Each structure stands twice: as structure tokens, then as C-alpha cells.
Amino acid sequence: MSDSETTTTVSTTAPPPEDDSSATDTKKQAINAISFSIWPLTQRTRDSVITRLIETLSTTSVLSKRYGTVPHEEASEVSRRIEEEAFSVATSSASSEDDGLEVVQLYSKEISKRMLETVKARSGSSANGDNSAAKTVSADVTPTSAASEEVLSSVENEAAGSN
């Protein structure tokens, strides 16, 4: 080598930890520094949930086969109210220590419960309601589980789209 050439050496190994507890603490700090929370939902996700609710209430679905369809205008109004109430209930139960999964599950259950209550009340007040379709609904797919799956699907799509 000539005097004008320089060689740089880079060490690629980390120094060994002083003891196991400090290595564990460092890993915990790194994990704590990375935070992932799915609650509160973004407005885009909430709008998607409302759109799915409107669709479920106003078009042929498991619910409409059993309880009848809701006119689009009414479905839009009811869907917004259902989502707002469910969001309020879920938000009041959220804590800063949650990753949000339990809160999203509560939100989904609240939407399902309120949607089912709405269509039952509406079909009960309708004098010409035809309940013969209720006999053809599969026992494996309840209206509540179908609604929960739709809400969770919307949340999962939002999470996948934000990556």
C-alpha cells in the first residue's frame, strides 16, 4: 500500500451484552418503541362500515331475507346512527393500554346488535311483513355473525391499505 491509500475497517459484530437482563431490557424497550393500535378507527374505515351497513340493510342479504329490506334513504340514516352509537360505546371502553383489538370486537358486536334490533323493530311494526323467508335462512349464518364479519372485513381492509 502506498501512503496515499487508506484502509477502513468496519466491525460488523455487536459487542456482547453485559448481562442477560440488560439484553432483555433492550429488547423490551425496542418492542415498546414500536406501537401498533387499530383503535380508534380512521374516518375512512368508519365510512366504509357505514357503506356496508347501508348495503346490508337495503339490498338482498341474510337480514333482508328474514326481515325485509329497508329503503336506501332510511338505511343511510339508520346506518349512520348505528355506527355513531357503536363507536361511542366502544370509545368509552377503550384504554390507552389496549392494542385496540378488543375495542374493535366490541364495536363490531355493538353494530351487529343495533342493526338486528333495528330490523326486528322495523319488521315488527310492518303489518305486511312476510316472515316465510325466515325458515330458509341457514342456521349456520346468523344475521349478527354476518354483520360482524362485514365490520371486521372493513377494518382489515383499512389496515391492509394503510401499510
Side-chain angles (χ1 to χ4, degrees), residues 36-100:
F36 178 75
S37 179
I38 58 175
W39 191 266
L41 301 176
T42 64
Q43 188 60 48
R44 183 175 145 204
T45 300
R46 293 180 67 193
D47 291 342
S48 178
V49 168
I50 291 169
T51 300
R52 294 293 301 263
L53 281 169
I54 294 168
E55 182 181 314
T56 300
L57 293 171
S58 65
T59 61
T60 302
S61 67
V62 172
L63 283 175
S64 69
K65 287 179 182 176
R66 185 168 190 160
Y67 300 107
T69 58
V70 178
H72 193 272
E73 186 75 22
E74 184 181 344
S76 178
E77 181 182 315
V78 167
S79 296
R80 291 183 198 293
R81 180 180 46 82
I82 288 171
E83 192 282 334
E84 286 173 6
E85 291 172 359
F87 188 81
S88 177
V89 168
T91 298
S92 68
S93 76
S95 74
S96 62
E97 297 172 7
D98 287 338
D99 64 359

Side-chain angles (χ1 to χ4, degrees), residues 137-157:
V137 176
S138 168
D140 294 339
V141 180
T142 63
T144 304
S145 67
S148 293
E149 289 172 12
E150 289 179 3
V151 170
L152 291 174
S153 173
S154 294
V155 171
E156 289 169 352
N157 289 340

Side-chain angles (χ1 to χ4, degrees), residues 21-41:
S21 65
S22 68
T24 303
D25 290 342
T26 303
K27 286 180 183 178
K28 285 181 183 177
Q29 289 174 351
I31 291 172
N32 290 337
I34 299 171
S35 172
F36 178 75
S37 179
I38 58 175
W39 191 266
L41 301 176

